[in-house]
């Protein structure tokens, strides 16, 4: 065999055990028992988790930067940040440009990622315009291994095309996929922005009022209703509030196939941060909520009512975020989180006892792998799985400094936070790709993962 990882404590959702892991040609070929390999890593006393699967990132290929898309990471810098943070597979939102179809967007992003990605990746076709051509492509895209679509109830055009989006959901259901839905109501947001303009209250601390709680709540109930109507499994992205969670729970308690993602910001920050002098740097959609919502997110992670933690990694430079030309109605949304997501969940979740290490593995790897058709190739450590794994240094404490991390975003929303528990070695398909802070994997080594059908957790 190529590689033997000796002495570590392997953690899966089913439990943990000290077991040696034998790897050959990129896959796990033996767990436990006698074995020898051409190289060995001593992981004695350290936890080993399956590599993180982050199904929600925005990595802009360099060729699109000129079109006004100014997210600061492409597939190279973004996957470098991911690997340093223990994430070995990312799911990118592939947005069609004007006049492009979903299939065009997938082909373009795949070509970029094939050249630049260091980690493995999969692609979600984003349905911005439910044209006949796009609807007709859903079955083909699924057959080619792109077994999801994403759409936004927050886009101004959504309400003019609800029948077509419902038709798209029926087609996704038919093809065995899952629909990712951004749940914020476009008309409510539009009205709130008008009210803020009329009142002249446009400083960034009003951002949370431009996209208020009720916009998320009604939209989430609506998505659950769409799901119940079409029977298409849905995945509510970046859920932020206790009341939106209740909407999902309402559906789940009746057996409706609703799955829920939250994002690190909603576990670690509250809307008070928007009142800081540089509060605009915390803008995301939905906005940060109250402490009671943060508490609800943690409880839901612990009780299995939230299925995944994904970053929604959408990085900007600090100067772009704090651009004085922006106001509460149009702040740039998103932050860099790929390198910090897992260590912060470990530090503030596992070390504090809020969640178990097994639950950590479920929400950061196994559950997303199942929901998006990657399991058991990704999302677990068992014979036959890809050898994607993270050996942890549970004792290492670092102070977050976004400017010194791998994302090209030059700050982190958690700058100054002390975080204990970092990846010591990250392995992707049997290759050591990160050691400590150093990412040693080469651009272009990442592979497109063609996915199977969605499966429930
Ligand atoms: Zn997103």
């Amino acid at each position: 065999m190529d590689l033997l990882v000796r002495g570590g404590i392997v953690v899966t959702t089913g439990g943990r055990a000290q077991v040696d892991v034998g790897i050959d040609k990129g896959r796990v070929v033996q767990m436990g028992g006698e074995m020898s390999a051409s190289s060995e890593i001593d992981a004695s006393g350290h936890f080993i988790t399956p590599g993180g699967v982050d199904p929600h990132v925005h990595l802009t290929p360099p060729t699109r930067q000129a079109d006004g898309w100014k997210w600061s990471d492409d597939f190279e810098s973004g996957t470098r940040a991911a690997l340093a943070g223990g994430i070995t597979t990312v799911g990118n939102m592939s947005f069609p440009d004007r006049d492009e179809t979903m299939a065009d967007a997938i082909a373009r992003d795949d070509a970029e990622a094939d050249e630049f990605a260091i980690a493995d990746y999969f692609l979600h076709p984003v349905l911005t315009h439910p044209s006949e051509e796009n609807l007709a492509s859903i079955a083909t895209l699924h057959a080619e291994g792109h077994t999801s679509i994403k759409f936004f109830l927050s886009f101004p055009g959504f309400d003019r095309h609800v029948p077509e989006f419902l038709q798209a959901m029926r087609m996704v259901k038919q093809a065995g996929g899952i629909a990712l839905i951004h749940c914020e109501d476009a008309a409510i947001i539009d009205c709130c922005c008008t009210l803020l303009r009329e009142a002249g209250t446009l400083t960034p601390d009003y951002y949370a009022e431009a996209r208020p709680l009720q916009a998320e709540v009604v939209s989430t109930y609506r998505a659950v209703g769409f799901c119940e109507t079409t029977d298409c499994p849905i995945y509510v992205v970046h859920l932020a509030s206790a009341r939106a969670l209740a909407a999902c729970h309402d559906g789940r308690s009746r057996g409706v196939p609703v799955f829920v993602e939250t994002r690190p910001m909603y576990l670690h920050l509250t809307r008070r941060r928007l009142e800081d002098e540089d509060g605009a740097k915390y803008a995301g959609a939905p906005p940060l909520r109250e402490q009671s919502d943060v508490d609800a997110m943690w409880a839901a992670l612990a009780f299995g009512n939230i299925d995944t933690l994904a970053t929604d990694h959408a990085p900007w430079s600090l100067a772009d975020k704090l651009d004085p030309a922006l106001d509460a109605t149009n702040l740039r949304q998103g932050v860099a989180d790929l390198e910090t997501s897992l260590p912060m969940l470990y530090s503030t979740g596992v070390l504090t006892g809020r969640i178990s290490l097994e639950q950590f593995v479920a929400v950061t790897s196994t559950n997303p792998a199942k929901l998006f058709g990657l399991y058991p190739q990704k999302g677990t450590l068992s014979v036959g799985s890809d050898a994607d794994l993270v050996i942890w240094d549970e004792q290492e404490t670092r102070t977050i400094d976004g400017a010194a991390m791998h994302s090209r975003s030059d700050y982190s929303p958690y700058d100054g936070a002390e975080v204990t528990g970092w990846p010591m070695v990250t392995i992707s398909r049997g290759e050591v790709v990160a050691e400590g802070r150093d990412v040693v994997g080469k651009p272009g080594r990442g592979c497109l993962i063609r996915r199977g059908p969605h499966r429930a957790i």
Side-chain angles (χ1 to χ4, degrees), residues 56-58 71 93 95 150 152 182 237-238 261 312-314:
H56 187 167
V57 305
H58 299 269
W71 285 317
M93 301 300 163
F95 284 83
K150 163 107 184 262
F152 294 72
H182 179 123
V237 292
H238 48 51
E261 168 193 288
D312 193 7
H313 182 90

Side-chain angles (χ1 to χ4, degrees), residues 156-239:
F158 179 80
D159 282 310
R160 288 196 300 276
H161 296 288
V162 181
E164 292 93 330
F165 280 100
L166 288 176
Q167 175 65 16
M169 289 179 73
R170 292 179 60 196
M171 294 166 126
V172 171
K173 161 69 182 172
Q174 188 83 31
I178 184 168
L180 298 84
I181 308 184
H182 179 123
C183 294
E184 287 185 294
D185 185 84
I188 290 177
I189 292 170
D190 185 60
C191 179
C192 288
C193 290
T194 301
L195 290 167
L196 289 174
R197 276 187 214 100
E198 286 174 3
T201 48
L202 288 166
T203 46
D205 50 316
Y206 285 95
Y207 177 70
E209 283 161 53
R211 310 178 76 95
L213 181 58
Q214 66 269 24
E216 183 185 10
V217 174
V218 298
S219 186
T220 307
Y221 271 108
R222 200 176 182 202
V224 171
F226 292 162
C227 170
E228 196 159 12
T229 304
T230 61
D231 205 27
C232 175
I234 66 164
Y235 178 87
V236 177
V237 292
H238 48 51
L239 182 129

Side-chain angles (χ1 to χ4, degrees), residues 60-70 97-98 100 108:
T60 312
T63 49
R64 297 181 67 195
Q65 301 284 342
D67 302 337
W69 293 73
K70 292 168 74 181
D97 278 337
R98 199 187 306 272
E100 272 188 340
R108 172 178 37 73

Side-chain angles (χ1 to χ4, degrees), residues 225-300:
F226 292 162
C227 170
E228 196 159 12
T229 304
T230 61
D231 205 27
C232 175
I234 66 164
Y235 178 87
V236 177
V237 292
H238 48 51
L239 182 129
S241 68
R243 284 178 59 199
L245 187 63
C248 296
H249 195 65
D250 172 63
R252 285 160 75 115
S253 64
R254 285 178 287 110
V256 179
V258 176
F259 301 94
V260 182
E261 168 193 288
T262 193
R263 124 200 225 211
M265 283 220 291
Y266 305 140
L267 299 176
H268 306 305
L269 302 173
T270 71
R271 67 176 284 185
R272 297 288 148 257
R273 302 307 286 264
L274 293 168
E275 295 164 11
D276 291 357
E277 197 183 342
D278 54 359
K281 72 183 185 186
Y282 302 104
L288 295 172
R289 304 290 192 203
E290 307 292 343
Q291 184 62 45
S292 55
D293 295 301
V294 170
D295 295 343
M297 297 303 109
W298 279 107

Side-chain angles (χ1 to χ4, degrees), residues 100-444:
E100 272 188 340
T101 63
M102 289 198 293
D104 294 336
I106 291 293
R108 172 178 37 73
D109 276 3
D110 184 28
E112 292 283 346
D114 184 55
E115 189 174 349
F116 294 106
I118 312 173
D120 289 349
Y121 60 92
F122 56 103
L123 304 171
H124 300 288
V126 177
L127 184 59
T128 48
H129 298 291
S131 62
E132 269 178 39
E133 191 179 7
N134 273 329
L135 293 188
S137 73
I138 287 173
T140 313
L141 285 166
H142 275 64
E144 291 169 353
H146 308 294
T147 50
S148 54
I149 60 165
K150 163 107 184 262
F151 58 90
F152 294 72
L153 273 57
S154 56
F155 278 4
F158 179 80
D159 282 310
R160 288 196 300 276
H161 296 288
V162 181
E164 292 93 330
F165 280 100
L166 288 176
Q167 175 65 16
M169 289 179 73
R170 292 179 60 196
M171 294 166 126
V172 171
K173 161 69 182 172
Q174 188 83 31
I178 184 168
L180 298 84
I181 308 184
H182 179 123
C183 294
E184 287 185 294
D185 185 84
I188 290 177
I189 292 170
D190 185 60
C191 179
C192 288
C193 290
T194 301
L195 290 167
L196 289 174
R197 276 187 214 100
E198 286 174 3
T201 48
L202 288 166
T203 46
D205 50 316
Y206 285 95
Y207 177 70
E209 283 161 53
R211 310 178 76 95
L213 181 58
Q214 66 269 24
E216 183 185 10
V217 174
V218 298
S219 186
T220 307
Y221 271 108
R222 200 176 182 202
V224 171
F226 292 162
C227 170
E228 196 159 12
T229 304
T230 61
D231 205 27
C232 175
I234 66 164
Y235 178 87
V236 177
V237 292
H238 48 51
L239 182 129
S241 68
R243 284 178 59 199
L245 187 63
C248 296
H249 195 65
D250 172 63
R252 285 160 75 115
S253 64
R254 285 178 287 110
V256 179
V258 176
F259 301 94
V260 182
E261 168 193 288
T262 193
R263 124 200 225 211
M265 283 220 291
Y266 305 140
L267 299 176
H268 306 305
L269 302 173
T270 71
R271 67 176 284 185
R272 297 288 148 257
R273 302 307 286 264
L274 293 168
E275 295 164 11
D276 291 357
E277 197 183 342
D278 54 359
K281 72 183 185 186
Y282 302 104
L288 295 172
R289 304 290 192 203
E290 307 292 343
Q291 184 62 45
S292 55
D293 295 301
V294 170
D295 295 343
M297 297 303 109
W298 279 107
L301 279 178
F303 287 105
N305 295 324
I306 286 176
D307 304 294
T308 70
L309 179 73
T311 57
D312 193 7
H313 182 90
W316 303 89
S317 71
L318 189 56
D320 276 344
K321 287 289 267 194
L322 302 182
D323 183 346
L326 303 174
D327 64 40
T329 65
N330 60 8
L331 292 181
R332 295 198 170 102
Q333 298 161 3
V335 298
D337 229 333
L338 274 166
E339 193 166 348
T340 42
S341 178
L342 269 53
M344 286 192 69
L345 183 68
Y346 185 85
S347 192
T348 60
V350 177
L351 283 181
T352 57
R354 282 160 147 165
I355 60 169
S356 68
L357 195 49
E358 288 78 3
Q359 287 170 318
F360 172 98
V361 170
V363 299
T364 63
S365 183
T366 312
N367 289 349
K370 286 181 177 173
L371 292 174
F372 295 106
L374 301 159
Y375 186 88
Q377 181 184 359
K378 307 289 189 190
T380 190
L381 285 172
S382 61
V383 171
S385 299
D386 282 357
D388 296 351
L389 55 96
V390 182
I391 306 170
W392 288 82
D393 185 342
E394 302 82 1
Q395 312 293 328
E396 183 176 3
T397 299
R398 295 184 198 166
T399 303
I400 301 280
D401 174 12
M405 299 179 100
H406 292 89
S407 168
R408 293 194 187 120
S409 172
D410 50 0
Y411 78 102
S412 162
Y414 321 110
D415 276 335
E418 287 224 324
V419 175
T420 299
W422 289 85
M424 187 165 66
V425 178
T426 304
I427 294 173
S428 164
R429 280 181 283 103
E431 180 184 345
V432 173
V433 286
E435 293 173 281
R437 296 169 199 246
D438 298 327
V439 175
V440 295
K442 295 283 177 283

